[in-house]
Amino acid sequence: MAEEKFMFDSLQDCETIKEFLTSLVEGFENKSITLSTNGDEIHLAPNGLLQFMVKAKKKGPENKLSIKVAWKENPEAQDTGDNFLKVR
C-alpha cells in the first residue's frame, strides 16, 4: 500500500485555529476527515479506539502545544488505560 502524506504549515490567528479545530471535532463525530490545500488532499476515517497525545512546552517567550491522534484502519481490541486529560 502506498504511503500518503499531507502537510500544512502557516501562521494563523486564534479564531482561525478555533474554526479548524471545530471542523476536526465534526470530522471525528462523523468519522470522516478530509484535509486539502493547494491541490493536495488526504481523507482519513477515524474509528474505534484512537491514540491521543498532548505535549505542551514553554521556554522563555516560546510556547508550543502539540496534539497527536493516531489509529489503525482495522483496529483490534486495545487497552484504554485509566488516563484522563483535563483542559481548562
Side-chain angles (χ1 to χ4, degrees):
M1 181 179 291
E3 181 179 54
E4 295 179 63
K5 290 185 177 182
F6 180 89
M7 174 84 170
F8 179 77
D9 187 7
S10 71
L11 293 174
Q12 303 287 332
D13 61 21
C14 286
E15 184 63 28
T16 304
I17 292 171
K18 183 186 101 178
E19 291 171 9
F20 173 76
L21 292 173
T22 299
S23 295
L24 274 181
V25 168
E26 291 171 4
F28 282 111
E29 289 172 348
N30 297 323
K31 296 180 174 51
S32 177
I33 298 171
T34 300
L35 303 170
S36 60
T37 186
N38 299 327
D40 289 332
E41 181 174 286
I42 191 166
H43 177 74
L44 305 170
N47 198 8
L49 295 177
L50 290 71
Q51 180 181 1
F52 181 65
M53 180 173 42
V54 176
K55 290 183 181 180
K57 179 179 175 181
K58 289 184 77 163
K59 185 175 182 182
E62 300 289 325
N63 297 278
K64 184 175 182 177
L65 173 65
S66 299
I67 300 171
K68 178 180 175 182
V69 181
W71 64 92
K72 294 186 179 182
E73 288 190 11
N74 298 312
E76 298 175 12
Q78 300 174 10
D79 180 16
T80 61
D82 292 328
N83 299 324
F84 297 95
L85 172 67
K86 181 184 281 187
V87 179
R88 296 178 290 206

